Every structure is written in structure tokens, then in C-alpha cells.
Amino acid sequence: MESLLTARSTRRTAVVEDELRPSNSALQAPDNDSIKLQIWSDALRLLQSKPSSEDLLRALQWLLPTGSLEMSVNIKIPGPQTTQLVNAIVNNVVPDYWPLLQQLDSAIMKRVRKLLLRCLTSLAGIGALLARLRALGSQELKVSTNPQPLAETFDLLENILRKDGTVSQLWTELREAAVKAAQHSLLWKELVSMLGGGRILSVAAEAGSTLNRLNPDIYEGNWVADGKLYSDWLGRNIRHFLFAKIESQDEKMKATAVLLSKAFSLGYTGRIIDVVFLQPTLGDVQNLGICRSLFRNLAKHEQKSVVLNILRIISGVYIPRQKLRDDPKVRGKVVGGIAALIREYAEDELYLQDVLVEWLTSISGGNLSSDELTRRAVIAVIASKLDALEAVLHGLLQVFGDKLYIKNTPILHQEVNARSLLMVAGYVNRVKPSSLTAVARSSMYINAISNRIAASSQRSRFLGMIVGTAISELVDPKDKRMKFSVEEIDSPDGKAFLALVQTSDSIGSIKDLLSTSAIPEKPRMSSINEVPQVRKRAKAKATTTSKIMSTEEADSSSGDDDLPTYGKPDSDPEDEEEDATLVERNKPSAPVYIRDLIAGLSDVENYNRHKLALTTAASLIRQKANFGTEVSDHCEELASRLTGLNDKYNLENFQQMRLQTMIAILVARPLQMGQWFSNTYFNGDYSMSQRAAILTTLSIGARELAGFKKEDSALTGANLVSDTPFPSKQLPDKLHKIYAAEAAPVNALTQSMERVMIQPMAMEAAEKFTGPKALKVRTFSSRMEVEKRRKKAIPNELAKIVAEGFFFPLTGGWKSHFRTFGDRSAHTSPFLLSHFLKTLALLLHASGPSTLSLPQMTSEYWSLILSIRTTATGDVMILEALLFAILTLLDVNEDKRVIAQSHARELLETQAWVEAVFEKIGGGSEEGERIRTLAAGVLVGTREVVEKHQRILLGDMADFM
């Protein structure tokens, strides 16, 4: 084709740039220089006409209240004109300028950015941004392919609300701009509804979810959409507003109380109370007066919530149990400081004293999960009021002797009740001995001791004997005192209980609490000031230059025969870089001390150091376990760091290395860390996978203490992910690997134990069909061969501490947590609940049939199982775990007669329920067959007990039928 056309001539014409502009006048940009800013409509027209940076700067300066005195609208006060101006800024200016303002660093851009944030830091500005977020994240736009506008709006809203003085600035501007007090009150209520009512949080969370679905790479988390981080920000703003120097202090205090009351509805009351009340008071005692003034402006039910949350936070956060355990003087100072803090808030009001009495005596009160020092402080506060002290004594004694309470309440809660009862009895005896004597002669006291001694649980009887002995020593003469000739009374545990009546704490000063260094340093909230990002590891550059020298291969024939020859060195993967400046020469060394290990685990930015610390953590802890006090001094801090550790670099075998380290900590300090892990599982702020890791640590660590370390070593060293599909829907591959890795060891153990427990039943059933035993051939082995196959007895260290350190804290925490939150908690999810039941079963099996606390453990575990059987019917995972738990109960309790005598009703209820499950679950699928097999095993076990001990069960069976 090119050969058919021949160019004759070429002519070039000059193109004028103006000729390329469209002739349509509607598309031509207006001359913004000719717009004079005299009224608000001029500014609106300028903002809507795509202004240049100079024109935008001129318009923003005019709109601010500090600008021209002739402007007819205040952009800080909501109104029709303000709404149009703010919408023009948000919908026209922000999409064009905000990305440039974040990138360019010129002087004019800095001024524009500053003025833009000032204009939008208002009630109308925040409302306009929320409306844009709602529009961009609505259902109609969820399939959009351009998520950038939504991400930019998120970023702008975060920059407007970032400072801690935002609320104080908004209140001051509304107060100065409002013409009348009524107008200011209405505007403040609207702002309170927006900030504390959850409007910002709900809109941001919905838009963030949409942005995450559109493009997860852009959305890496925003603190405005996170309830916990947003409540922390709001709490700091309320605190800043509370201590701000403003002329009208009374009006400011009332406004702060209104905002605080509204903020409680967000659902993060404890975090806000910690930031507003505790941190200022414990940071500087002089701030106590202002905090008390705010407290008095709250409603009564809100004051009650503040007091209860202070008790909970003080007990769970501000008391380092490890440092205060062995120092009575320091513990006494801490108790006095806590008592002084509680008295400042609860002394003047009678109904708040009733709150403290209820907190101490309630069956489901917060004292059950609180620290002993906090309970001592509350008792010291009410000790000055004899009426309140006697009310606590009667309430505790009534609960202590209740038959249903003794039978159904976890023993851990009963011990808390007994400790509080003994301490209060000592206070009453010192204040008014005749009052305690009257109580000791009352029928309520006699019935309580009688019910305790008649209880089936050994620990419940022990508590009854302890209380009876202690109170008798206070009120009776020596020749008439109650005595029990049992070894438990003279044991260290019994003497510790008897010494509680001598506890006498005085109310000190809050300064005593600060001087004991019991207040940990609060972590820096970097997630609010910095957008969370996943940083890729960059290879460090060497600080020294390296010389490249040529090396010639020596001729072996011409060399000296006396010189030894060396082989080539092994290749170093760090030296494989072509550029020598990228080679890492400063390699970190393995940690030698526990504090270095903690620092290495915390240094998540240094890949090599972090990986080396995680790799060597388990071996270092086991080496240091019985050498010095390094592990005991830092075990809780180290466990907390490991539990919350995330796999930032996608390390190979990360879950296994972390699990091995957590198990090493547990084995090093089993009693202390067993209680710590159990408490952290319920009260810690961790994800579901991290809670599953805690349960796995408890079960595998307990089995190691029981002597099953060799059998379980393969489970903690390999990633055992089951090939069978998830019962309903499988998570994405990345999440499935995380959750499956955490639960794999426990699942593998339960499956192996199922085979071990069901196999004898199957063999016995098979023998019934093969004929009489007399016709069978029996083979005999020599004694030597039998001795070779016999396993050597391993001392079971777990049996001594399993109840106090593992089992009772878990069952007690479950009942307390379930009583408080019901089935709305994450702990009742099928994944965690099934894991929890299996963990308790493994603990019970590892402790063995000779454990002294087995009857009480059986009673609590059986009660827990029957309480969730309704939930288990609707979920396969929970049902399988529940049947495995019952099978383990029957297997560990070898003395079936004890089961028939002590748990007749539970046995019959279990048999009836499992029969219904067996009939309901059909076969044909792998899940159905596995559940039917477990149900059949449970039915065989229960029917065997019923057939052998029918006479014992006859009375209970008649009542049950």
C-alpha cells in the first residue's frame, strides 16, 4: 500500500493553543480572578468552579471566622448556607486537591491543607464527610472498581479527628459562634450524638468493610472504624476537654458529663473510664478533684458503672501480681492505695456503699474474678461502717451455706467466698465482738456449717471445716472450740485460710499506690497516629565498603608439600547478593538472657533478630527454668508477649515455634502460669486463634507434666492440618491454615484417645459373637517379654496442681463469663467452645484416676457439660466435643460405684440425652458415623454403670422417670 501513495509536498502549520479549546462557552473555565468575595454565594461559586490553589487559599481564608468581617455566614455554625459551602468543599475541592495536599510539600500547599482542615473541623464538616462516606459505601456502589475516593475520604476524616483537643476546639468554637445559649445547647447535643452516639463509628465501619472488599491492599485498617481505638481516642478527647482551661468551668463540666454519658453507649465503657478517670488520677493525684467533680455530675446508674469498672480495671490491669506476691509490706501499701481511691468516689453516697456490699456478696459479682488485693481494699473501705460490714457478713454467710450453691458453683468461686467471709468476720470481731458471737449462735451459721460438712465434694467440706474452726477460735473459749482432726487443717493451705481472720488493712493514700511502682507504663497508641501498614523487609546496606580481590587458583604441583590443603567454605545464603553493599554483615546473636529474648520478640521491625529470638526461645526458657529467677521474674511478661505475637513475616513453622515457647513457660512455672493462661483466655484482649493457642498450650503442657512428652512431641513440632473438609464451609486458605494449626494438636490427641477408649468396647462386643471363652485359644508370653513391653512408671506432677492451677480456673472462668455475657461472647463460638471442652477432657485424662480432686473435677465438668447440651444439639463440632468429654469422664472414673452414688441424676440425664442424639443423627457420612460411634461408646459406658448398680440408682431413677 505504501508504494501506491507518493508524497508530493509537505506543509507545516503553526497550531495556536487557544484554538484547541472548545468553543462551547459552558465548558470554558470561568475567570476566577474576577470573582470578588463579598457574600457567601461568591465563595460558593468560586469553590464550585475548580479553583486554582491561589483562589482556593483565598476562599478558605475568607470562610474562616477570623477572616473578613463582612462575610454573611459562619462556616462553623450549621445552616443552609453553611451546608452548601461545606458540601462544595467536600464534593468538589477534596477529590481534586486532597491527594495533592498529601504529596506536595510547597508552602502554599501547606497553607491550603491547614485551612482546609480548619474549615472542615466543625459539626457541619464532619457531617458532610460522613454523608460522603455513606454514599460511597452504599449498596449501589459496592461493585465499583475505583475505591480511591472512599480511601481519600477516610484519610481526611482521620486527619480532622486525629488530635486529642478536637472536642475541646469544637465546643469552644460553637460557644463563641452561637448567638444564644439555647442554640449552643442544641448544637452541642447534636455534636454529642455524632461523637458519642456511634454515628461516626457505624458509618466508618460500614464504609471500611466496603473498602476492604473492593481493594484490601488500599485499606489496611483505620482507627475511626475500630471500636476500641475510637473509644480510646474519644476518652482522650474527653480527658483533654475536662482539664482544659476554659472560663465557664461549670458549663464545661456539665457538657463533659453529657458527652461521657453518651460515650458509655458505645460498648467500651471500661476503656473510656480508664482513660478519663484512672490514668489522670494515678498519673497525678492533684487531678483527683476534677475527676470527682465530673463523677458527681453523672447519673446514679452511671456512677455505679464507673465504680464497678474501676474495681475491675484496678484488679486486672494495675496490680502486678508477680511483683507483689512475696512482699507483704508492699501488698499492704497497694491495698491502702486502692482503698483510698475507692473511698474518694464511693464514700459520700449511701447507694454507692450498697454497690460495694452487693459487689462482695453477689453470687455473680465482679469479686469472683478480681484480685485478692482489690477485695481487701473494698472490705477496708466498708469496715468503717458497721451496718455495711454486718450486711456483708450476713450476705456472705447465706451464700456460703446454700445447698444449691455448694453443689453447682465452681470450687474456685467458693474459695473466693470463703476468703471474703473470713476477712469480714475478723473485722466484725474487732469492731463489735458481740455481733460476731450472735452470728455464730444463729441457725443460719449452724446450717451453713452442717451443709458444708455434708457435701459430697472434699474441697467443699474442707472450706466448711476451715470457716467453722476460724470463727470458733474468735468467739468460743479454748475448751469449747470447734476442732476437726484432719490433716488438711494443719496443712499450709489450711493455715493460710485460718490467718485471714487476722487481716487488718488501713486506708492509706493514693500516693502509696504510686510509690509501689504498681502502675505499669501504658503502651503508646501508635495505631491512632500512624496508619497500620505491612512493611516489607528491606535488605540492610553494609556500612563499610568491601574490596574485590582477584584470586588465582594455585597449582597443586608447584605448591609446598608442607602446607595443608583446605576445602572450599560452605556457601552463605546472606552472601549470594551480586551487590556487595547489600550483604548483611552485622548479624544478630542468639539471646542469652530472658530480657534479651523479650526485646528480640518485641523488635518486629528487625527480621533477623525477631526470627532468631523466636527460634531459640523454647530452648532458652527450658535451660533457664531451674537456674536463677530469670524465668520466674519475667514469665508473665514473656507469655503476654508470645500470646499476642503475630506472624508479620509469614515465617515457616511460626505457630509451632510459638506453641513450643508457650509450653516451655507453662512447664517452667506450672501453677502460676496455669492460672495466668486460664485467666487470660477469658479476660485477655486476643483473637480467636490466639485464644485457641492458649487452650492448646494448657492441654499439651499439662500432658507433658503428666509424663506424655514423648507421645506429644510430634504434635507440637509439625503442622498437623487435617485433610478432611470443614463440616460446613471452609475458611480461605490463609485463615484456614492459622486456625487449623492452632487446634491441630488437640484434635489429633482427641482422635487418638477416642480410638483407645472405644477399641476395648468393640473387642468385647466382638467376643460375644465368637462363642464361649472356654473354647478360645489363649497364648501366653514369657515374663521377660512382658517386662519389655511394660512401660516404666512416670511420676505425674500434674496431679498435684491440676485442680488449682488448670481445671478450676477454666471451669470457674467459663461459668462467670457465661453468666455475664451469655451466648453473645466469642467464647461460645463452635470453634472455641469445642476446643475448650476438649482441653478440659485432656486435662482430666492427663491427671489420672488417682487424683485427689477427681470427684470435684468430675462434678464441675459434668455440670458444665449438661448446661450446654442444648447448644451442642445444633452444631456438629460442639456435639462431637461434648460426647468426647462424657466418654473421657466415664473412662477416667474407674470406680463406677462412686459415679452411681455421687452423680446418679447426671448419669441418667446423660444416658437419656445421648440416646436421643444417637437416634437423631443418621449415618452415611463421615461426620455422622463418627458422632454415632462416640454416642454408642457413651451409651455402652452409661448402661454398664446402670446395670451393675441398679439398687443404688433406683431412688434417683424413680425421681428421674
Side-chain angles (χ1 to χ4, degrees):
M1 293 294 295
E2 295 181 358
S3 61
L4 298 178
L5 300 176
T6 304
R8 291 292 185 179
S9 62
T10 302
R11 181 181 180 183
R12 298 181 182 274
T13 57
V15 179
V16 182
E17 184 178 357
D18 294 338
E19 295 178 355
L20 297 177
R21 184 173 298 172
S23 59
N24 190 354
S25 59
L27 299 178
Q28 295 181 4
D31 188 4
N32 293 331
D33 295 336
S34 61
I35 300 178
K36 296 182 179 181
L37 301 178
Q38 296 180 351
I39 58 177
W40 70 273
S41 58
D42 297 335
L44 178 62
R45 188 155 53 92
L46 179 59
L47 293 173
Q48 293 177 344
S49 60
K50 295 188 179 299
S52 62
S53 57
E54 292 80 4
D55 293 332
L56 178 59
L57 180 62
R58 183 163 59 95
L60 295 177
Q61 289 176 340
W62 186 87
L63 287 174
L64 288 174
T66 56
S68 174
L69 298 177
E70 300 178 357
M71 66 179 187
S72 58
V73 64
N74 188 347
I75 200 172
K76 297 292 183 178
I77 300 296
Q81 296 87 0
T82 303
T83 302
Q84 296 184 50
L85 290 170
V86 171
N87 286 335
I89 295 175
V90 172
N91 298 321
N92 298 99
V93 176
V94 169
D96 296 334
Y97 273 92
W98 185 249
L100 298 176
L101 295 176
Q102 295 294 90
Q103 299 175 3
L104 301 181
D105 200 20
S106 61
I108 187 172
M109 286 298 180
K110 288 182 179 181
R111 294 181 60 189
V112 169
R113 185 179 186 277
K114 181 178 179 180
L115 293 176
L116 179 64
L117 293 177
R118 287 183 58 188
C119 287
L120 294 180
T121 306
S122 63
L123 181 59
I126 298 174
L129 287 175
L130 293 180
R132 180 171 174 80
L133 277 178
R134 188 182 294 109
L136 294 175
S138 61
Q139 295 290 337
E140 291 80 4
L141 297 179
K142 285 188 177 181
V143 295
S144 174
T145 58
N146 184 19
Q148 197 64 32
L150 189 58
E152 293 170 358
T153 309
F154 250 126
D155 186 50
L156 178 58
L157 181 62
E158 180 188 90
N159 280 272
I160 290 175
L161 301 177
R162 183 184 296 273
K163 296 181 180 179
D164 292 346
T166 302
V167 173
S168 178
Q169 177 186 347
L170 291 172
W171 186 84
T172 304
E173 291 177 350
L174 289 177
R175 185 170 179 270
E176 293 176 353
V179 179
K180 299 180 181 180
Q183 183 185 12
H184 175 245
S185 178
L186 291 175
L187 294 176
W188 176 247
K189 290 182 179 179
E190 178 66 22
L191 184 60
V192 166
S193 177
M194 180 182 295
L195 296 176
R199 191 185 307 174
I200 294 178
L201 185 60
S202 60
V203 173
E206 182 180 358
S209 178
T210 302
L211 183 58
N212 187 34
R213 284 194 293 268
L214 291 176
N215 194 338
D217 296 334
I218 295 180
Y219 181 73
E220 297 175 347
N222 192 298
W223 66 267
V224 183
D226 189 299
K228 296 178 181 179
L229 299 180
Y230 179 81
S231 61
D232 289 340
W233 168 85
L234 184 58
R236 291 196 305 273
N237 270 266
I238 295 174
R239 182 180 63 191
H240 186 277
F241 185 34
L242 178 63
F243 292 96
K245 303 299 182 180
I246 300 177
E247 296 180 358
S248 181
Q249 290 292 326
D250 295 337
E251 184 180 358
K252 181 201 70 173
M253 192 65 65
K254 294 180 180 179
T256 309
V258 172
L259 179 58
L260 181 61
S261 301
K262 196 68 174 178
F264 287 162
S265 63
L266 291 176
Y268 302 94
T269 306
R271 302 177 74 96
I272 296 176
I273 290 175
D274 184 17
V275 176
V276 176
F277 289 98
L278 285 178
Q279 291 183 15
T281 303
L282 298 178
D284 188 355
V285 183
Q286 297 179 357
N287 297 329
L288 179 62
I290 300 178
C291 293
R292 287 187 61 187
S293 300
L294 175 62
F295 179 78
R296 301 306 175 199
N297 281 276
L298 298 175
K300 288 187 177 181
H301 69 279
E302 294 168 349
Q303 292 181 0
K304 176 182 178 180
S305 177
V306 170
V307 171
L308 295 179
N309 277 279
I310 286 177
L311 294 175
R312 181 181 61 82
I313 297 170
I314 283 291
S315 177
V317 179
Y318 290 101
I319 295 182
R321 301 175 178 86
Q322 179 182 352
K323 295 181 180 180
L324 305 178
R325 183 175 290 108
D326 300 327
D327 196 340
K329 293 183 179 180
V330 177
R331 291 168 66 89
K333 278 191 174 183
V334 172
V335 171
I338 298 173
L341 179 63
I342 298 172
R343 183 184 61 178
E344 292 294 338
Y345 289 101
E347 182 182 25
D348 299 336
E349 301 292 344
L350 293 177
Y351 68 90
L352 291 179
Q353 293 183 6
D354 295 338
V355 170
L356 297 180
V357 172
E358 181 183 0
W359 185 82
L360 283 171
T361 59
S362 176
I363 298 178
S364 59
N367 64 317
L368 299 177
S369 58
S370 63
D371 190 89
E372 181 183 354
L373 303 184
T374 307
R375 295 194 296 272
R376 287 172 54 182
V378 174
I379 295 174
V381 170
I382 65 175
S384 58
K385 308 291 183 181
L386 181 59
D387 296 340
L389 202 59
E390 291 179 344
V392 173
L393 179 62
H394 285 83
L396 290 174
L397 187 59
Q398 184 177 5
V399 172
F400 181 77
D402 187 79
K403 291 183 178 180
L404 293 178
Y405 178 83
I406 296 173
K407 183 177 181 180
N408 300 319
T409 305
I411 196 64
L412 187 66
H413 295 177
Q414 298 185 35
E415 291 182 359
V416 171
N417 176 268
R419 290 176 183 274
S420 301
L421 177 60
L422 292 175
M423 287 188 287
V424 173
Y427 276 97
V428 173
N429 183 65
R430 287 188 292 270
V431 176
K432 191 178 179 181
S434 60
S435 179
L436 182 62
T437 303
V439 171
R441 303 292 186 266
S442 64
S443 60
M444 179 175 60
Y445 172 78
I446 296 175
N447 291 333
I449 301 300
S450 300
N451 293 339
R452 281 284 170 176
I453 296 177
S456 59
S457 171
Q458 180 182 0
R459 191 66 176 178
S460 297
R461 295 195 298 269
F462 166 75
L463 294 178
M465 291 185 290
I466 284 291
V467 172
T469 303
I471 295 181
S472 179
E473 289 179 354
L474 294 177
V475 300
D476 296 332
K478 291 185 178 180
D479 56 340
K480 295 183 179 180
R481 290 178 181 176
M482 186 182 299
K483 294 182 180 180
F484 296 94
S485 301
V486 293
E487 298 179 356
E488 290 83 354
I489 300 294
D490 298 329
S491 64
D493 189 21
K495 293 180 180 179
F497 271 97
L498 293 175
L500 290 174
V501 295
Q502 307 298 330
T503 303
S504 179
D505 298 307
S506 59
I507 300 177
S509 173
I510 300 179
K511 295 181 179 179
D512 296 336
L513 183 61
L514 300 176
S515 62
T516 56
S517 300
I519 307 303
E521 183 181 357
K522 299 296 292 181
R524 183 177 65 92
M525 297 301 298
S526 59
S527 56
I528 290 183
N529 297 323
E530 301 175 4
V531 178
Q533 295 179 355
V534 180
R535 299 182 180 89
K536 295 182 179 180
R537 181 171 63 95
K539 296 181 179 180
K541 294 184 178 181
T543 55
T544 58
T545 59
S546 59
K547 296 182 180 180
I548 302 176
M549 302 179 64
S550 61
T551 306
E552 296 183 0
E553 185 176 358
D555 187 3
S556 59
S557 60
S558 61
D560 297 333
D561 297 334
D562 298 336
L563 296 178
T565 58
Y566 297 94
K568 294 182 179 180
D570 296 334
S571 60
D572 191 350
E574 298 292 338
D575 293 339
E576 293 180 356
E577 297 289 344
E578 296 180 358
D579 188 356
T581 60
L582 297 179
V583 177
E584 176 66 39
R585 298 298 182 186
N586 300 323
K587 299 179 181 179
S589 57
V592 181
Y593 301 101
I594 298 297
R595 61 177 182 270
D596 297 334
L597 176 61
I598 297 175
L601 294 173
S602 305
D603 191 6
V604 294
E605 302 299 330
N606 190 335
Y607 170 80
N608 293 327
R609 184 186 183 190
H610 181 70
K611 181 181 178 180
L612 185 60
L614 186 61
T615 305
T616 59
S619 59
L620 179 62
I621 293 172
R622 292 184 182 274
Q623 293 172 5
K624 296 278 187 176
N626 299 320
F627 181 78
T629 61
E630 278 190 274
V631 176
S632 60
D633 292 342
H634 301 89
C635 57
E636 292 187 5
E637 181 183 0
L638 187 58
S640 177
R641 183 72 60 184
L642 284 165
T643 305
L645 194 63
N646 294 319
D647 189 8
K648 181 178 180 179
Y649 299 103
N650 294 325
L651 299 176
E652 185 179 1
N653 296 330
F654 169 82
Q655 308 292 347
Q656 285 69 36
M657 290 189 292
R658 186 182 66 165
L659 180 61
Q660 290 175 4
T661 308
M662 295 170 66
I663 293 174
I665 299 173
L666 179 64
V667 174
R669 304 283 295 180
L671 181 60
Q672 175 187 349
M673 296 311 301
Q675 297 174 348
W676 186 91
F677 277 119
S678 302
N679 181 65
T680 302
Y681 173 75
F682 292 104
N683 301 321
D685 188 9
Y686 297 107
S687 64
M688 292 181 64
S689 63
Q690 291 168 344
R691 295 182 194 275
I694 293 176
L695 294 177
T696 304
T697 301
L698 289 171
S699 56
I700 304 299
R703 285 177 59 83
E704 181 175 339
L705 292 171
F708 296 97
K709 181 179 180 180
K710 293 183 178 180
E711 290 83 348
D712 300 343
S713 59
L715 301 179
T716 59
N719 188 3
L720 298 178
V721 181
S722 179
D723 295 333
T724 58
F726 199 73
S728 58
K729 294 182 180 179
Q730 182 168 309
L731 295 171
D733 293 339
K734 183 178 180 180
L735 296 177
H736 178 71
K737 291 179 180 179
I738 295 175
Y739 287 96
E742 300 291 2
V746 174
N747 292 335
L749 283 174
T750 54
Q751 292 176 5
S752 63
M753 288 174 58
E754 288 173 8
R755 292 191 295 267
V756 172
M757 289 185 289
I758 294 178
Q759 186 176 5
M761 302 179 187
M763 294 177 62
E764 184 178 356
E767 288 180 356
K768 294 181 180 180
F769 293 97
T770 57
K773 293 184 178 182
L775 300 179
K776 297 177 183 179
V777 178
R778 185 178 180 184
T779 58
F780 295 89
S781 301
S782 64
R783 180 178 297 179
M784 298 296 293
E785 294 179 355
V786 173
E787 292 295 333
K788 288 181 181 179
R789 292 195 299 266
R790 180 178 298 172
K791 294 183 179 180
K792 295 182 179 180
I794 302 175
N796 191 343
E797 300 293 337
L798 177 67
K800 304 175 184 178
I801 60 173
V802 62
E804 182 182 359
F806 293 81
F807 203 87
F808 291 155
L810 285 175
T811 55
W814 164 261
K815 290 196 175 182
S816 177
H817 199 82
F818 188 78
R819 188 183 293 116
T820 303
F821 299 101
D823 55 357
R824 303 184 307 273
S825 173
H827 298 82
T828 58
S829 63
F831 173 72
L832 281 183
L833 183 53
S834 61
H835 204 41
F836 179 74
L837 292 172
K838 292 177 181 178
T839 299
L840 290 175
L842 292 176
L843 291 174
L844 190 67
H845 182 270
S847 62
S850 302
T851 305
L852 296 177
S853 55
L854 181 60
Q856 183 63 31
M857 293 166 62
T858 302
S859 178
E860 291 198 13
Y861 197 21
W862 216 329
S863 175
L864 188 150
I865 289 171
L866 294 178
S867 66
I868 59 177
R869 53 185 166 175
T870 305
T871 306
T873 307
D875 191 274
V876 178
M877 293 181 64
I878 303 177
L879 182 59
E880 181 183 355
L882 204 62
L883 293 173
F884 172 74
I886 301 173
L887 194 62
T888 306
L889 272 177
L890 298 175
D891 181 73
V892 174
N893 288 271
E894 296 179 349
D895 191 350
K896 307 303 181 184
R897 185 180 182 86
V898 176
I899 295 180
Q901 289 177 343
S902 303
H903 308 285
R905 184 171 297 275
E906 291 86 349
L907 179 66
L908 298 174
E909 289 185 9
T910 301
Q911 182 180 2
W913 176 72
V914 175
E915 288 177 352
V917 170
F918 187 80
E919 295 176 359
K920 181 180 178 181
I921 300 298
S925 63
E926 184 178 355
E927 297 171 0
E929 293 297 335
R930 186 166 62 250
I931 292 176
R932 286 175 63 86
T933 302
L934 289 173
V938 172
L939 288 176
V940 171
T942 54
R943 288 173 180 174
E944 179 183 356
V945 178
V946 171
E947 291 174 359
K948 289 184 178 180
H949 306 283
Q950 288 184 358
R951 294 184 178 180
I952 299 176
L953 295 171
L954 183 60
D956 295 276
M957 187 180 297
D959 296 337
F960 180 74
M961 298 301 292

